[in-house]
Amino acid sequence: MVEACIVLGSTFSCGVYPVEEADSAVRSVLRRLANSGYPFARARVSVNGGEYVAVVLKGRFYVLNSPRVKGKASSHFLKWFFRGMYGKAFSLEEVESRRRLAGFYGVKVSVMRGDSEVVFGFEGEGGSVGAQISGGETGVWGVLLLSGEHLLSSGISVSLAASYDSTSAFTRLKVDLPPLLPSGLMGEAEYFRGDSVFYRFISVPYVWSYPFRAGLGVLFSEGFFPTLVLERVSDPYISAFLTAGSGELGGRLWFKRGWFYLLVFRGLGRWRERVGGMDRFREIPYTSLFSQEFALVRVDVPVVRIGRLRTGPFADALFERRRPPLYAYGIFLKVGDGFSAFISARRLVGVDVKVSL
């Protein structure tokens, strides 16, 4: 314990704390200053025996007029990132909120404090190429996955999944545009050929209030249906997608938190969702079963955690109307975001590999 005093201008506060709590109190003061136009505030701390003194210097008041930028970012992306900040007192809280939103589109934003100006760095993650391969006694199946992020230095995200064999073909394309204009845009197209052919296209302009976004759009699947999307992108992840047509309501609900995953789906017209793959019911091939109405529960319990490695038991449950429920369980293994695998009690094996571009 130390007698700690924080001196700021002509005011000071003192108390008796552990050194860690005194440090935390100083950081809190610096953060409040950074949120009210003083990003250059610094603290000079001296500790002598049982005495802890922190002298906080506010530095100069900073207005965000022409921020210095390093890295790759288009003029449109910069206009979006700094929208509503120009000509205002620097607010670290507002910058960090916008930085988290940029991270959703694969753009890493760093904020560096210089002697006389704040420097913003922009770096794109680029994208990835990967594959999901599963198999057992009945054969082997798989799908190719491609993604690109921060395309044209504009934060645009694109992902493509494709699978083809002699009996079926599956393609899904998804595009997510940041709100370079007042609203962003999410588009999704899907095509499947098997016993029958079906396809769909979804377009949803949306607005952000991070970590939430909401939008109104249209879905085409044997007709046009108005849609509503409500989404929370941080943990826990929640996504509600509703579509109306022919006097009915259809939609899907996603919920993900840590090791728990829930997907409930009800389709209209020709709209169907896949139920299999490494990210859904693991024992069903990626393209072998599409359904108009189901509920899926996944549980991964990482009982072993070593660095980036996670492993432990998993359980999947699939419920469809007029069909008996399906269950799967076994062991999963995950290393970072680039590799995951499972082996089920029925000796089905799956591998998901992703390599950054």
Side-chain angles (χ1 to χ4, degrees):
M1 304 290 285
V2 294
E3 182 181 2
C5 289
I6 302 175
V7 182
L8 174 58
S10 60
T11 65
F12 66 92
S13 59
C14 295
V16 178
Y17 314 100
V19 172
E20 295 78 8
E21 289 187 17
D23 288 339
S24 178
V26 172
R27 286 193 294 269
S28 178
V29 170
L30 292 174
R31 186 173 185 86
R32 287 199 300 270
L33 289 170
N35 284 332
S36 56
Y38 294 94
F40 305 110
R42 299 178 185 273
R44 296 174 181 171
V45 178
S46 63
V47 181
N48 295 309
E51 186 180 59
Y52 178 110
V53 179
V55 179
V56 179
L57 306 174
K58 294 171 76 173
R60 71 184 182 88
F61 186 79
Y62 186 74
V63 175
L64 202 59
N65 286 322
S66 55
R68 184 180 168 193
V69 173
K70 290 184 177 180
K72 294 182 178 180
S74 68
S75 60
H76 296 292
F77 188 83
L78 292 178
K79 286 179 181 178
W80 162 71
F81 187 86
F82 293 112
R83 183 185 299 148
M85 297 185 192
Y86 288 118
K88 293 183 179 179
F90 183 91
S91 170
L92 182 61
E93 194 171 87
E94 187 173 2
V95 168
E96 289 187 343
S97 176
R98 198 69 56 88
R99 178 171 62 180
R100 289 192 296 268
L101 182 51
F104 177 80
Y105 297 100
V107 184
K108 296 179 180 178
V109 181
S110 58
V111 184
M112 296 159 283
R113 182 174 64 176
D115 292 333
S116 61
E117 61 184 341
V118 177
V119 181
F120 293 84
F122 294 85
E123 180 183 358
E125 294 184 357
S128 64
V129 57
Q132 289 183 6
I133 302 171
S134 303
E137 295 178 355
T138 58
V140 177
W141 50 86
V143 63
L144 175 68
L145 304 166
L146 296 171
S147 73
E149 295 179 328
H150 198 35
L151 299 182
L152 304 176
S153 300
S154 292
I156 298 171
S157 298
V158 177
S159 63
L160 173 68
S163 178
Y164 174 82
D165 59 34
S166 59
T167 60
S168 65
F170 169 75
T171 302
R172 185 187 76 243
L173 175 67
K174 185 174 180 179
V175 180
D176 211 324
L177 279 67
L180 305 178
L181 299 174
S183 68
L185 178 67
M186 177 178 63
E188 192 174 310
E190 194 165 282
Y191 166 86
F192 174 73
R193 177 181 60 82
D195 296 333
S196 61
V197 173
F198 69 84
Y199 48 85
R200 63 176 175 147
F201 174 76
I202 301 170
S203 176
V204 182
Y206 57 81
V207 294
W208 278 98
S209 178
Y210 189 87
F212 300 95
R213 67 174 174 176
L216 292 170
V218 63
L219 177 145
F220 178 80
S221 174
E222 205 176 56
F224 288 96
F225 304 124
T227 64
L228 169 67
V229 174
L230 300 172
E231 196 168 31
R232 176 193 172 104
V233 302
S234 62
D235 190 36
Y237 170 78
I238 303 171
S239 176
F241 185 104
L242 299 175
T243 183
S246 304
E248 298 182 78
L249 285 176
R252 65 187 174 204
L253 170 68
W254 264 305
F255 178 87
K256 301 177 188 176
R257 182 160 197 174
W259 43 266
F260 181 82
Y261 172 115
L262 170 68
L263 170 60
V264 179
F265 173 77
R266 169 76 157 82
L268 278 175
R270 297 169 65 90
W271 185 20
R272 291 170 174 79
E273 281 275 356
R274 64 181 174 87
V275 299
M278 289 284 288
D279 61 333
R280 302 207 175 177
F281 193 87
R282 275 166 270 215
E283 287 194 332
I284 294 178
Y286 199 95
T287 59
S288 68
L289 178 61
F290 287 74
S291 177
Q292 268 203 307
E293 190 172 359
F294 67 92
L296 174 65
V297 178
R298 288 167 49 104
V299 178
D300 293 325
V301 184
V303 295
V304 177
R305 305 183 184 193
I306 304 173
R308 292 166 57 84
L309 183 146
R310 302 285 186 271
T311 185
F314 79 83
D316 295 351
L318 175 64
F319 305 93
E320 290 186 271
R321 180 171 291 181
R322 292 181 294 275
R323 289 187 180 182
L326 295 177
Y327 302 98
Y329 53 93
I331 302 295
F332 81 94
L333 172 71
K334 186 174 182 180
V335 181
D337 295 325
F339 179 86
S340 62
F342 78 88
I343 180 168
S344 73
R346 282 187 281 264
R347 293 183 296 178
L348 271 75
V349 177
V351 178
D352 184 354
V353 180
K354 181 170 66 175
V355 178
S356 297
L357 298 174

